[in-house]
Amino acid sequence: MIEGDGIGPEVTREALKVLTKVSKKLSAPLEYNKLDVGAKRWLRTKETLTDKEMDAIAASDAVYLGAVGDPKVPPGVLERDILLKIRFELDLYINLRPCLLLPGAFTPLKGKTSSDINFIVVRENSESVYAGMGGVFKRGTPDEVAIQEDINTRKGVDRILQYAFEYCEKRKHKKKLTMVDKANVLTHAHGLWRRAFEDMGKNFPGVARNAIYVDAAAMDFVRRPEAFDIVVTNNIFGDILTDLGAIISGGLGLAASANLNNLPSPDLPRKGQVCRGLFEPIHGSAPDIAGRGLANPLAAILAAKMMLEHLGEATAADAVEKAVKKTILEGKIFKKDSPDLAVPTSEAGDRVCSYL
Ligand code: IPM
Ligand code: MN
């Protein structure tokens, strides 16, 4: 468990309350340890994640993370050397981001209900501009050049498409997979995605497929979210679109995510790797509201629920999900017509616990 920065410790505290309670109720032992990782440690020691800590993470069943990022640390240090390091070194190439409007939660989209906003984004999580390739030439001079390369490998694209098609086939919904790209401009990179999508699609006759451009997708998330079932896209588009997906489905305070690897063990990159999942709310560390009891812990609690599912604890996951739904339906934790909390962070967590 990494509480991290900003609101990270506040929201993970509530998720831990929920996990502890559900583990007691079901007599399913919960074992965890906290890593002191994040801004405070970096400011003290200039350390982010040590090799020893990476080994401990790789040997655990799952990682649970609050948030990283702090205005006192240069941008990218904590993000790249903690969060992205775990995603990349464990090759957690799937980033699952549900955009489900739970009944009673607020959407700013007029006339849309939970049956309209019910889709899941499968974000490629191991390539694209996130790979960190490139560099700066003649830095700080008028001739400065900065290059950040967009990496798209056939293997990387195929595996995320395969996961998305399988997920879509399994999901009891529209059986419709939408790929989001920019193939009209990024003809090399997204030409590859389009070819891979067509090829792979032939193996999934039960799944309807369509490919749309990212600009149009942004519009349709707002205009007609009911058009989506499973959305598959690259790392950077997935990052951007899922903030939009979050705000239409109850706000950042409700949006959870799972970073996964489902490949056979010999394909895992790290020696001794057991860990195949990192679970986190998709919101950041929100330093502007940190420490004031304003942060909604439900995203963190729903991330814990995704972790329980991953660990094979279906009963526990179900119980947590039901408790969250009841807490929202009760109608007391949000301000009227708003995604903002009406009660302190800890009370929201207590209410979820009371329904367990
Ligand atoms: C997210 C975050 C991260 C990302 C940052 C913190 C590196 O925005 O999980 O969406 O860009 O992936
Ligand atoms: Mn993001």
Side-chain angles (χ1 to χ4, degrees), residues 183-326:
N184 52 343
V185 176
L186 308 180
T187 47
H188 310 307
H190 295 179
L192 184 158
W193 279 78
R194 290 263 167 139
R195 281 181 276 115
F197 191 56
E198 279 312 299
D199 291 351
M200 180 84 58
K202 294 184 188 118
N203 304 331
F204 295 88
V207 174
R209 59 183 186 276
N210 68 325
I212 62 174
Y213 302 137
V214 64
D215 44 357
M219 179 174 65
D220 278 346
F221 269 33
V222 172
R223 179 173 62 169
R224 44 174 184 209
E226 65 280 6
F228 300 103
D229 174 2
I230 305 285
V231 173
V232 64
T233 191
N234 68 57
N235 208 340
I236 185 78
F237 292 173
D239 175 47
I240 299 164
L241 283 176
T242 53
D243 267 34
L244 179 52
I247 200 65
I248 63 169
S249 45
L252 278 167
L254 272 172
S257 75
N259 304 257
L260 305 167
N261 181 318
N262 66 342
L263 298 176
S265 297
D267 293 348
L268 296 177
R270 231 185 141 86
K271 207 169 147 264
Q273 180 174 342
V274 175
C275 186
R276 293 161 169 281
L278 159 67
F279 301 84
E280 48 169 346
I282 84 161
H283 60 64
S285 55
D288 51 327
I289 60 162
R292 294 159 57 197
L294 297 174
N296 183 353
L298 294 188
I301 292 169
L302 288 170
K305 177 228 131 187
M306 293 179 92
M307 177 172 72
L308 290 170
E309 257 163 18
H310 174 74
L311 295 173
E313 300 288 349
T315 312
D318 234 51
V320 172
E321 185 176 351
K322 287 204 178 99
V324 168
K325 284 183 173 162
K326 283 183 184 158

Side-chain angles (χ1 to χ4, degrees), residues 3 29 59 69 79 88 98 103 130 144 176 190 228 234 290 316:
E3 298 174 335
E79 291 85 345
F88 276 76
Y130 279 75
E144 179 161 351
K176 178 177 170 193
H190 295 179
F228 300 103
N234 68 57

Side-chain angles (χ1 to χ4, degrees), residues 1-9 12 35-40 65-69 82 285:
M1 173 165 176
I2 297 172
E3 298 174 335
D5 310 318
I7 59 172
T12 51
L35 292 182
D36 170 27
V37 168
K40 282 207 188 85
L65 180 138
V68 292
I82 299 172
S285 55

Side-chain angles (χ1 to χ4, degrees), residues 160-202:
I160 196 68
L161 291 179
Q162 170 105 24
Y163 181 84
F165 272 109
E166 284 172 1
Y167 196 105
C168 194
E169 199 172 49
K170 270 198 322 247
R171 184 174 194 230
K172 293 185 186 63
H173 199 48
K174 297 176 193 284
K175 310 278 180 213
K176 178 177 170 193
L177 180 62
T178 304
M179 181 168 85
V180 174
D181 61 35
K182 189 71 183 173
N184 52 343
V185 176
L186 308 180
T187 47
H188 310 307
H190 295 179
L192 184 158
W193 279 78
R194 290 263 167 139
R195 281 181 276 115
F197 191 56
E198 279 312 299
D199 291 351
M200 180 84 58
K202 294 184 188 118

